[in-house]
Amino acid sequence: MAKLTAWLVTLVGVLLLLPLIGVNVGAVLSAWLIALAWLFVGVGKLVRNYSRRK
């Protein structure tokens, strides 16, 4: 899970930096990718935390 989290957070960082350096990836695409990455991180951490409690 730590590797997945690291990759997704890196992806979000890159997507947030691209418009600042002049690369246009499309606001809608960028917003969707950021939202999905954070959703996967959150769900993954919830699953990890609650699966150990059995």
Side-chain angles (χ1 to χ4, degrees), residues 1 4-16 30-46:
M1 183 66 202
L4 177 63
T5 302
W7 277 108
L8 290 175
V9 170
T10 303
L11 172 68
V12 168
V14 168
L15 287 173
L16 291 172
S30 180
W32 271 103
L33 289 175
I34 290 170
L36 288 173
W38 281 110
L39 182 65
F40 287 138
V41 168
V43 169
K45 288 193 175 284
L46 284 172

